Amino acid sequence: MLVLPQKREFNFFIFIILIIFIISLRTPSFLDLNNFMDILNDTAILTMVAIGQLMIIVTGGIDLSVDASLALTGMSVALLNQHYPEIPLFIIILISITIGLLLGSINGLLVSQAKIPPVITTLGTMSIYRGLVFVICKGTWVSAHEMTEAFREFPRRSFLGISNLIFIALLIIVLFLIFLSLTKTGREIYGVGGNKTAAQYVGINLNKINYLAYTLCGGITGLAGFLWVARYAAAQSETAIGFNFQTIAACVVGGVSITGGSGTVIGVVLGAFFIGIVYDSLTMINVSPFWQMAIQGFIILFAIIINTIMDKRNQQLLLRKRSFNE
Amino acid sequence: MNNCILEMKGIRKYFYGVKALEGVDFKIKTGEVHALIGENGAGKSTLVKILAGVYQPNAGTIIFNHKSVQFLSPQISQQAGISAIHQEATMFPELSVTENIFIGHHIRNKSNGLLSWKEMKDKTQALLNRLELDIHPDTKVKNLSVAQRHMVEVAKALSLNAKIVIMDEPTSALTIKEVEYLYKIIRKLKSENKAVIFISHKFEEIFEIADYFTVLRDGKYIGEGKMAEVTMDEIIQMVIGRNLEHRYPQIEAEQGNTILKVKNLTRIGFFKDISFELHQGEILGFFGLVGAGRTEVMQTIFGIEALTSGEVFINGKKVNIANPAEAMNYGLAYIPEDRQLQGTILKMNIKENVTLSIINKISRHFFLDKEKELKITEQYGKQIEIKASSWQQLVEDLSGGNQQKVVLAKWIATKPRILIMDEPTKGIDVATKATVHNIISELAKQGIAIILVSSELPEILGMSNNIIVMHEGAITTKFTRDKANSENIIKAAIGSILS
């Protein structure tokens, strides 16, 4: 099965629990509920965008422009809020999603219609989108006092102790869990990534599926752009630089095949959560900030290696079972 | 037998319990061109791959140069003096001729350890001269013709000081003039006392160039002898061998109305003027050599490739099919030749594969109906006897035969009225083959019109009501079953040379 969680996700879950246990031995405050809520808040945006990335990687593509489109959308709505504070928040949210869909659909068109390889396409649009951030903000920031309170406070507002940010992330998780595992189009996305030719032979429209994946990812990214600038109460030209690689890391750590065709929403959620823990715990256990980036990279690579080894062993077991059966 | 360079005895090889070779003997002398003959799936490629160190035999001995040896890897086999030239030349198109020849065994300057390109270039030039080839050592391989690439592979074999050169279907992509050239090179190798193993489906080539032959059938050794002492009919008899009549279901289906009519279908560069009619309940066999254009005709009818000219009628109405989705709407189904590359989605499970072709039927308002999905998979999975631990099992974990059954189930589930099957039993074991044949007959009995593209003569003869033979992109002959026999079919497939 592709879409619903299985052994691999379960193993990864155990692995995460183990990591949490080890960290808490050294820093008992890591287990505080408050700290946990912080980690969830910190990983909410990563989880959302990583799910968009998942959809694209499953089709056999990749989107390197997510950080730039996030920044462009974020800057656009921040400027809008600064200059037209009377625009209601739900309109702002709709606008951020619309801009995201538009940016994503440009990627989709270039990949599916112009047939430019995804890496090249999104490298190009990454520069363009990032460049447009500079153009519209003219090199300046939009900082906290220039935003309305409703704008700035939205991600933090909580209901029953759970913030809007976490609610929205949960909503995206549930929506895309259903979309990818229970709908016809979701199945077709896995089909296209699993074997393009076979999918084409059963009458699936490859171009349509590719276009759709990039566009939907763009929509999520747009929403994430608003949430990001509101949460950090700042829109800068450098917002979220390097975030694209985090989303890809969350996918790969979560067991998504980088060549397409397999990967689950649950896996990606765990992957993003794992990365959140790593980032958070390094600060808590007082690792020097100079070392953090290198150690983060090392731990992510380590998780991927473990994942790959487990997978290989499973496959060998299956092969042995199969030759025994026949 | 002093000049016997290689002797393989009692070679056995199994893949996941499926027998590929059952005690095959093979020997070759120096200065001999030895044809290895057999149908697809007879075990020729497996035998050659064992010799090249790609596969390890489960049993048997290999005596090479009077010593018992084991070729544990392609490198060991190559160093021992065995060079294989594969069907599709495996070369590096962006590198020069010199670089291609010396890749993996570069010559280094003894004093400084750097690569000595001048020496390699000189040696390449010497090799090219020896083969009388007019190619510059600096030419990039991508700028060479297919024939020239084969020659460069031969030069590479010589540079490795090969004692045995294996040529697996070397002529399949060559023009007649280029084939002549290849013969010249083979004779040259022979005169230098090399042993050449020559694999070809084209019997006239074997008679032209080989001295000796070994015939394999169904993974078994059938016989050997001198080419000079055998006739083409005798060889064909050995290759086909068995008395097949009762092995095939032979259900006489009622043939109904014309359902598919193809008129003067042409795709420039692939096939021309293809016309035929297909009736309900008919099994129409398409035979031909590899590269005769049969697959291309079927892909064009199914809307995968565009046609240059010609017309297609379904139920008497002219249709223009632009893509597979439209073809499926007209009741067509196409089971492609390569189940791993074109047929299945290996990372999906059986259920998801089987229902992918009917995804609209199993979904209601956008959502998949999982119950219906399971029911349909069960229905067709049982009918086609897919053997698996559950319908959730990933297709990549199934055996080749079961993967093929998944592809069959997927297409039969679309309830086609016209079913095109391209090599449906290629590379699967005998038991699965029999199941597939029964399914085909059963479908024909239900009134489905079937096109069976196959390179296996017994299958074509045993299954088809009518047989069309293609050669180099054109239909050469049409037979009804009672008029067809292996001899006239093979002659038609080889083309004008013998008819």
Side-chain angles (χ1 to χ4, degrees):
Chain A
M1 250 319 248
L2 301 161
V3 183
L4 291 178
Q6 53 166 247
K7 220 177 150 200
R8 182 175 186 145
E9 276 79 23
F10 184 73
N11 287 341
F12 190 42
F13 184 67
I14 300 293
F15 182 69
I16 290 178
I17 300 279
L18 208 74
I19 295 266
I20 291 175
F21 178 72
I22 293 169
I23 298 168
S24 64
L25 282 183
R26 187 159 165 176
T27 322
S29 64
F30 189 77
L31 287 176
D32 274 9
L33 187 66
N34 279 336
N35 186 49
F36 244 86
M37 279 301 165
D38 282 347
I39 296 181
L40 287 185
N41 272 309
D42 283 342
T43 50
I45 293 178
L46 176 61
T47 309
M48 289 166 55
V49 182
I51 288 172
Q53 187 74 261
L54 159 77
M55 216 166 12
I56 290 175
I57 294 180
V58 164
T59 65
I62 198 154
D63 189 348
L64 297 173
S65 72
V66 286
D67 62 335
S69 32
L70 187 148
L72 183 53
T73 322
M75 181 59 82
S76 309
V77 292
L79 287 170
L80 207 62
N81 182 249
Q82 181 190 0
H83 294 290
Y84 305 95
E86 67 279 7
I87 298 177
L89 197 61
F90 80 94
I91 298 281
I92 294 271
I93 294 176
L94 283 182
I95 288 174
S96 71
I97 296 173
T98 312
I99 296 175
L101 287 170
L102 189 76
L103 298 177
S105 81
I106 293 172
N107 284 334
L109 282 175
L110 289 171
V111 170
S112 68
Q113 300 300 322
K115 311 278 177 210
I116 305 169
V119 176
I120 309 294
T121 300
T122 57
L123 258 181
T125 54
M126 179 177 84
S127 294
I128 295 170
Y129 297 165
R130 181 66 69 183
L132 288 177
V133 181
F134 285 95
V135 171
I136 61 171
C137 74
K138 304 184 183 73
T140 59
W141 294 19
V142 180
S143 44
H145 67 274
E146 289 159 324
M147 298 174 182
T148 62
E149 198 192 321
F151 186 94
R152 210 171 48 214
E153 290 299 320
F154 176 79
R156 249 179 292 273
R157 287 248 157 78
S158 65
F159 178 70
L160 298 174
I162 299 171
S163 66
N164 278 344
L165 193 57
I166 295 177
F167 267 123
I168 290 179
L170 281 176
L171 185 73
I172 296 284
I173 292 170
V174 172
L175 267 177
F176 281 86
L177 195 63
I178 292 172
F179 175 62
L180 286 175
S181 55
L182 296 178
T183 72
K184 174 188 155 216
T185 313
R187 178 69 57 83
E188 288 177 338
I189 287 176
Y190 284 91
V192 169
N195 186 341
K196 224 165 59 180
T197 315
Q200 185 200 358
Y201 283 15
V202 293
I204 294 173
N205 187 336
L206 304 183
N207 291 344
K208 194 182 102 188
I209 294 293
N210 276 324
Y211 174 76
L212 189 76
Y214 285 91
T215 307
L216 286 179
C217 175
I220 301 176
T221 310
L223 177 60
F226 157 68
L227 292 171
W228 184 296
V229 295
R231 170 149 206 261
Y232 296 104
Q236 310 164 13
S237 42
E238 289 89 11
T239 295
I241 274 187
F243 185 66
N244 48 357
F245 295 109
Q246 278 186 41
T247 62
I248 296 165
C251 288
V252 178
V253 172
V256 179
S257 159
I258 203 76
T259 50
S262 74
T264 68
V265 171
I266 300 293
V268 170
V269 171
L270 290 174
F273 185 58
F274 173 77
I275 288 176
I277 290 174
V278 170
Y279 281 34
D280 191 76
S281 61
L282 288 181
T283 320
M284 286 196 75
I285 59 179
N286 293 324
V287 172
S288 146
F290 299 115
W291 271 100
Q292 284 191 8
M293 202 166 166
I295 292 177
Q296 282 159 12
F298 175 78
I299 294 174
I300 289 170
L301 215 52
F302 180 73
I304 293 169
I305 291 168
I306 296 259
N307 229 332
T308 315
I309 291 172
M310 299 269 258
D311 232 34
K312 242 189 195 151
R313 187 184 293 172
N314 279 345
Q315 250 168 23
Q316 276 166 356
L317 280 176
L318 258 167
L319 272 182
R320 215 169 300 150
K321 217 164 91 190
R322 185 168 110 195
S323 55
F324 189 73
N325 283 343
E326 279 172 15
Chain B
M1 286 301 268
N2 230 357
N3 57 352
C4 187
I5 177 95
L6 173 80
E7 196 171 354
M8 300 170 88
K9 264 194 252 171
I11 303 291
R12 290 172 191 279
K13 178 71 190 169
Y14 310 109
F15 293 104
Y16 303 121
V18 176
K19 288 171 195 154
L21 292 176
E22 296 179 62
V24 168
D25 295 340
F26 180 80
K27 55 179 186 285
I28 183 167
K29 295 179 209 162
T30 54
E32 178 180 275
V33 178
H34 192 131
L36 191 54
I37 310 172
E39 291 178 282
N40 290 329
K44 296 167 302 193
S45 290
T46 311
L47 186 70
V48 161
K49 279 181 179 159
I50 286 173
L51 191 55
V54 179
Y55 296 149
Q56 299 306 314
N58 295 90
T61 53
I62 304 175
I63 295 162
F64 178 68
N65 234 348
H66 312 291
K67 275 186 294 230
S68 179
V69 291
Q70 271 185 302
F71 294 130
L72 294 173
S73 75
Q75 286 78 17
I76 293 174
S77 162
Q78 212 174 63
Q79 274 160 16
I82 292 166
S83 279
I85 298 172
H86 296 283
Q87 277 174 31
E88 291 95 25
T90 45
M91 306 192 83
F92 303 92
E94 290 293 338
L95 299 183
S96 72
V97 172
T98 307
E99 287 166 315
N100 265 285
I101 286 180
F102 283 97
I103 202 149
H105 61 117
H106 291 107
I107 299 173
R108 285 176 192 281
N109 186 316
K110 289 204 177 65
S111 53
N112 61 16
L114 296 176
L115 297 179
S116 171
W117 285 112
K118 186 169 182 323
E119 196 184 340
M120 286 189 262
K121 219 163 115 179
D122 292 345
K123 287 208 167 162
T124 303
Q125 189 63 59
L127 285 169
L128 295 173
N129 290 344
R130 194 163 135 202
L131 292 173
E132 294 168 40
L133 293 174
D134 188 22
I135 302 173
H136 194 275
D138 289 341
T139 315
K140 278 190 182 180
V141 161
K142 70 171 179 189
N143 296 327
L144 299 178
S145 70
V146 179
Q148 285 176 318
R149 289 180 202 197
H150 275 293
M151 305 309 161
V152 172
E153 291 251 39
V154 175
K156 183 176 179 181
L158 290 179
S159 82
L160 287 160
N161 211 4
K163 297 186 182 70
I164 299 178
V165 178
I166 302 165
M167 295 189 174
D168 194 353
E169 300 265 2
T171 61
S172 54
L174 302 188
T175 65
I176 293 171
K177 223 175 144 189
E178 289 171 331
V179 171
E180 285 301 323
Y181 202 71
L182 183 74
Y183 290 163
K184 214 174 94 184
I185 301 287
I186 292 176
R187 290 191 186 104
K188 184 105 188 163
L189 290 173
K190 203 173 132 177
S191 71
E192 294 188 9
N193 245 345
K194 311 283 185 204
V196 177
I197 300 175
F198 187 83
I199 299 177
S200 176
H201 279 109
K202 301 176 187 168
F203 289 136
E204 82 269 26
E205 288 180 2
I206 294 166
F207 275 92
E208 169 92 29
I209 194 70
D211 309 306
Y212 206 84
F213 69 89
T214 297
V215 175
L216 302 183
R217 189 203 313 144
D218 292 340
K220 293 192 193 85
Y221 167 87
I222 299 301
E224 62 186 287
K226 286 184 181 147
M227 290 308 300
E229 295 168 2
V230 71
T231 65
M232 175 143 352
D233 287 343
E234 284 165 344
I235 293 262
I236 290 174
Q237 200 56 47
M238 288 174 90
V239 169
I240 304 161
R242 60 211 143 179
N243 190 1
L244 292 147
E245 289 359 286
H246 53 270
R247 268 192 47 201
Y248 287 91
Q250 297 277 16
I251 299 164
E252 274 305 334
E254 284 285 310
Q255 284 191 30
N257 301 327
T258 304
I259 184 160
L260 175 74
K261 190 174 160 194
V262 172
K263 214 172 138 193
N264 300 329
L265 203 66
T266 300
R267 186 172 160 226
I268 288 175
F270 294 92
F271 54 83
K272 53 185 184 296
D273 273 339
I274 303 297
S275 301
F276 63 89
E277 283 185 19
L278 178 70
H279 307 89
Q280 287 171 338
E282 178 185 359
I283 301 176
L284 177 61
F286 264 76
F287 186 78
L289 300 174
V290 174
R294 295 165 299 162
T295 297
E296 287 78 4
V297 170
M298 300 313 152
Q299 290 191 336
T300 305
I301 293 172
F302 197 62
I304 295 164
E305 304 288 353
L307 51 86
T308 314
S309 62
E311 292 166 304
V312 177
F313 300 87
I314 290 175
N315 281 328
K317 252 174 57 191
K318 188 173 183 303
V319 294
N320 287 310
I321 295 170
N323 58 50
E326 285 180 29
M328 288 164 75
N329 285 338
Y330 285 114
L332 276 159
Y334 171 63
I335 298 180
E337 187 178 0
D338 190 318
R339 60 180 164 263
Q340 299 224 334
L341 292 179
Q342 304 165 325
T344 56
I345 294 173
L346 294 171
K347 286 174 183 166
M348 281 190 166
N349 65 30
I350 297 172
K351 209 172 64 176
E352 290 162 338
N353 264 285
V354 169
T355 55
L356 197 65
S357 57
I358 45 163
I359 198 151
N360 287 323
K361 279 184 217 159
I362 61 153
S363 45
R364 211 180 307 147
H365 312 300
F366 205 56
F367 283 94
L368 296 169
D369 183 341
K370 298 260 179 179
E371 246 170 72
K372 204 165 168 187
E373 182 184 23
L374 186 66
K375 232 174 74 189
I376 289 179
T377 308
E378 252 169 14
Q379 179 195 337
Y380 289 100
K382 278 184 185 151
Q383 183 190 337
I384 292 173
E385 300 170 27
I386 297 172
K387 285 188 198 104
S389 50
S390 88
W391 305 122
Q392 319 272 359
Q393 198 173 349
L394 289 188
V395 169
E396 67 181 348
D397 298 326
L398 298 176
S399 69
N402 274 308
Q403 285 180 355
Q404 186 65 1
K405 285 183 187 170
V406 170
V407 181
L408 279 176
K410 176 169 96 174
W411 284 107
I412 293 168
T414 66
K415 298 192 179 142
R417 278 171 290 147
I418 303 165
L419 177 61
I420 304 172
M421 305 173 115
D422 201 344
E423 306 282 0
T425 63
K426 190 174 161 189
I428 59 179
D429 58 291
V430 181
T432 312
K433 247 183 206 181
T435 315
V436 172
H437 289 150
N438 284 327
I439 293 164
I440 296 174
S441 294
E442 197 54 43
L443 293 171
K445 222 164 68 177
Q446 291 166 18
I448 297 172
I450 293 170
I451 294 179
L452 174 68
V453 176
S454 175
S455 299
E456 283 191 42
L457 200 46
E459 183 170 276
I460 287 281
L461 281 168
M463 297 299 301
S464 320
N465 304 109
N466 293 297
I467 297 164
I468 289 178
V469 183
M470 282 184 70
H471 173 73
E472 291 188 351
I475 292 177
T476 48
T477 328
K478 294 179 186 179
F479 297 99
T480 52
R481 170 142 73 194
D482 49 319
K483 297 267 169 54
N485 58 49
S486 40
E487 199 181 341
N488 58 22
I489 287 184
I490 284 211
K491 280 182 177 166
I494 290 168
S496 51
I497 303 163
L498 284 164
S499 55

